[in-house]
Amino acid sequence: MPPRFIRELVPRRENRAPLGAVVVALRSLTWVQWAQFLSGWFAWACDALDFVAVTLTIPLLSEQFGKSTSAVTTAFTLTLLFRSVGAVIFGMISDRFGRKWPLVINLIICGVLELGTGFVNTFQQFLALRALFGIAMGGIWGLSSSSALENLPVELRGIGSGVLQEGYAIGYLIAAVINLTLVAQHGWRALFWTGAGITFFAAVVRALIPESAFFLRKEQEKARGTNTSQNFLRETKEMLKLHWPLCIYAVLLMTGLNFLSHGSQDLYPTYLQITKGFSAHDATVATIISNCGGLVGGALGGWVSQYIGRRLTIVSSVLLVGVFIPLWVLPFSFSALSAGAFCIQVGVQGAWGVIPIQLAEMSPPAFRATFPGVVYQLGNMVSAASAQIEATGGDHLKTTIMENGVLTVVPDYATASHLWLRSHTVLFILHQVQAIFIGAVAAFVIVIAIIGPENHGSHFENADAASGDEVSTDNTSQKSYREVDEKSSV
């Protein structure tokens, strides 16, 4: 028999939907539910494309502005720091005015700033636009996840969560393909301009799709006499007063997972080029392979969580990351490193695939756009300097590789992080930076996931917005598979 703490991670049998129930729920979806889910997924993919445009062009940006890699990665830090501001602003607007138009406006602002990034001439202009972009970018995740998931039947929310989160991997793949084609011919600015065009298209798509059914129900309550506008600030204060331990826990969880993802992704193409001696083309192809692993892991993690629970899925996925760390950093061949990157991202995104639904189920009902978005971006803020720490260390410590038949001194992103962690009394045997960094973060995430709460299988769409108590609803789009099945039988 497994240990007690493992048994407690597994959801009760009545909360596990059988495969047949998932099929029934899938068939019950209306075109509006499909469209809302896909529009949220598309918005999240655009968010990823816009962010990783910097990741893929660090060497070109460094050459353009005459700055070191660590200086260019300041853009990551600024973007991630200011995303919390955007999460608060757009999350509160969405919880007050709806999911549709706040997300449309949010996407348009992202597109404008992304377009402007392609026209900058100085490093100061570049950093300023990336900071502003962080504010706009901060609202996307909370709005897109609430739009996509709160209208799905409860039986589909696990796999829906995984597919939604892997919109990030799709955005990364699109950016990588653009980097292989347009950037190679027209320079780094083409990636930002193309990303802006795709983001504008996502805004048009969302504008053509109806408002969230969950939000419309809140509006109907308002029409019957519930004054939401007057109560919102009071409810916000009450939420923080009653749920502050939950907020702290969620921020800690998101901090660990953001360290896990950004630490394994943001500097990886640069690491392959500079430390491993790969060409820009090979580094991009390896990145594409790794994101294919992310697609597999995210969808699989979300689906599995519907049966074994959200927390146990996170723990299992992060353990998988730990197993493949040596394959991820120790080899020097393209095939071995690509295989390691694929397996690592299966684990990283397997854990991340659970997060949209985990946060939605934990969220106080009146704040399903604000709460997930804010805690997600606060975790981003805490982990904002991860890439810059690694890059700064690499700029001060060097290693030697064979480049074009000549021994060449390059930044060492391995020893750098090792020394930085030693100063914090964390000792590891492995030489590589990212192995040390990801290993420590993985252990932290496992502990946090085990001790945290889980509201698996929650029918949160039936909760009263003010009290959080479940209420009845006539919205057939939100009925469970049991209700749909019984109706079909009759």
Side-chain angles (χ1 to χ4, degrees):
M1 181 176 294
R4 180 179 178 181
F5 78 92
I6 294 294
R7 298 199 303 271
E8 291 176 350
L9 294 178
V10 181
R12 294 189 301 272
R13 184 177 298 275
E14 58 268 24
N15 287 337
R16 302 182 221 164
L19 182 59
V22 174
V23 174
V24 171
L26 191 62
R27 290 176 177 174
S28 73
L29 291 181
T30 66
W31 76 267
V32 174
Q33 289 172 293
W34 276 110
Q36 288 170 336
F37 176 81
L38 292 175
S39 67
W41 175 89
F42 191 19
W44 181 227
C46 291
D47 181 276
L49 192 163
D50 297 342
F51 179 77
V52 303
V54 176
T55 299
L56 294 169
T57 55
I58 287 177
L60 296 177
L61 292 169
S62 181
E63 181 181 352
Q64 172 74 36
F65 299 119
K67 300 293 183 179
S68 66
T69 299
S70 61
V72 174
T73 55
T74 305
F76 290 133
T77 304
L78 290 174
T79 299
L80 296 177
L81 281 174
F82 282 96
R83 282 174 75 168
S84 299
V85 178
V88 173
I89 294 173
F90 288 101
M92 293 184 68
I93 291 174
S94 177
D95 281 327
R96 173 66 183 89
F97 297 104
R99 312 306 190 211
K100 178 178 178 177
W101 293 111
L103 182 55
V104 171
I105 295 170
N106 200 171
L107 286 167
I108 291 174
I109 295 173
C110 284
V112 170
L113 293 172
E114 187 74 1
L115 186 66
T117 303
F119 288 100
V120 298
N121 294 313
T122 68
F123 188 60
Q124 289 72 26
Q125 292 172 349
F126 175 74
L127 292 182
L129 274 179
R130 296 314 290 179
L132 292 173
F133 182 75
I135 298 176
M137 191 177 179
I140 297 292
W141 190 85
L143 273 62
S144 61
S145 64
S146 58
S147 296
L149 296 180
E150 69 187 7
N151 296 294
L152 289 181
V154 65
E155 294 75 28
L156 297 179
R157 288 179 187 154
I159 190 170
S161 174
V163 173
L164 170 68
Q165 188 60 31
E166 290 324 296
Y168 189 94
I170 291 293
Y172 206 136
L173 283 172
I174 294 172
V177 171
I178 296 171
N179 190 54
L180 279 176
T181 54
L182 292 181
V183 172
Q185 298 179 11
H186 304 289
W188 63 270
R189 299 177 191 273
L191 178 53
F192 291 89
W193 292 335
T194 307
I198 296 174
T199 303
F200 287 137
F201 178 67
V204 173
V205 170
R206 185 63 188 98
L208 297 176
I209 296 171
E211 178 60 87
S212 165
F214 175 83
F215 183 79
L216 291 177
R217 183 169 69 84
K218 291 173 61 177
E219 288 297 291
Q220 292 172 358
E221 292 174 358
K222 177 181 176 181
R224 291 195 298 266
T226 304
N227 195 332
T228 308
S229 60
Q230 291 182 0
N231 292 337
F232 185 80
L233 291 178
R234 178 179 60 81
E235 290 172 357
T236 302
K237 181 179 178 181
E238 287 298 313
M239 182 199 76
L240 294 175
K241 180 180 178 180
L242 296 174
H243 302 289
W244 64 267
L246 180 64
C247 293
I248 292 175
Y249 166 78
V251 170
L252 289 174
L253 178 63
M254 298 316 300
T255 297
L257 285 170
N258 275 294
F259 267 122
L260 196 68
S261 60
H262 289 297
S264 64
Q265 295 172 359
D266 290 355
L267 270 185
Y268 195 66
T270 305
Y271 161 75
L272 291 177
Q273 292 181 61
I274 295 179
T275 304
K276 295 295 185 180
F278 284 18
S279 66
H281 179 275
D282 286 348
T284 303
V285 172
T287 301
I288 291 175
I289 293 172
S290 73
N291 278 277
C292 289
L295 288 173
V296 173
L300 184 63
W303 179 69
V304 169
S305 75
Q306 199 70 21
Y307 300 95
I308 69 172
R310 316 303 185 198
R311 293 179 298 163
L312 186 55
T313 303
I314 294 174
V315 171
S316 302
S317 298
V318 176
L319 287 173
L320 183 67
V321 172
V323 169
F324 285 102
I325 284 177
L327 182 61
W328 183 54
V329 294
L330 295 181
F332 282 87
S333 68
F334 174 84
S335 57
L337 284 170
S338 297
F342 180 93
C343 295
I344 283 287
Q345 291 306 316
V346 168
V348 171
Q349 296 305 318
W352 266 105
V354 182
I355 294 304
I357 188 59
Q358 169 75 331
L359 292 183
E361 289 175 338
M362 289 196 307
S363 173
F367 307 93
R368 191 150 294 111
T370 305
F371 178 84
V374 169
V375 298
Y376 175 91
Q377 303 303 354
L378 284 175
N380 255 323
M381 183 179 70
V382 176
S383 65
S386 57
Q388 196 170 11
I389 290 170
E390 294 176 6
T392 301
D395 286 342
H396 287 84
L397 294 171
K398 307 294 182 180
T399 188
T400 303
I401 65 170
M402 184 67 69
E403 185 175 357
N404 298 324
V406 180
L407 287 175
T408 306
V409 177
V410 297
D412 184 1
Y413 295 120
T415 309
S417 220
H418 181 65
L419 292 179
W420 181 78
L421 287 168
R422 280 184 60 135
S423 68
H424 289 69
T425 68
V426 181
L427 301 177
F428 294 90
I429 296 175
L430 287 176
H431 178 60
Q432 297 289 346
V433 169
Q434 296 180 82
I436 299 166
F437 191 76
I438 297 303
V441 171
F444 173 79
V445 171
I446 289 173
V447 172
I448 292 296
I450 288 175
I451 66 175
E454 180 174 336
N455 196 16
H456 182 277
S458 168
H459 289 261
F460 55 66
E461 73 285 347
N462 296 337
D464 179 78
S467 67
D469 297 327
E470 287 193 7
V471 296
S472 61
T473 177
D474 296 328
N475 187 354
T476 58
S477 69
Q478 304 297 339
K479 290 182 179 180
S480 72
Y481 78 92
R482 295 180 181 85
E483 295 169 290
V484 174
D485 196 32
E486 288 171 4
K487 184 177 179 180
S488 300
S489 300
V490 173

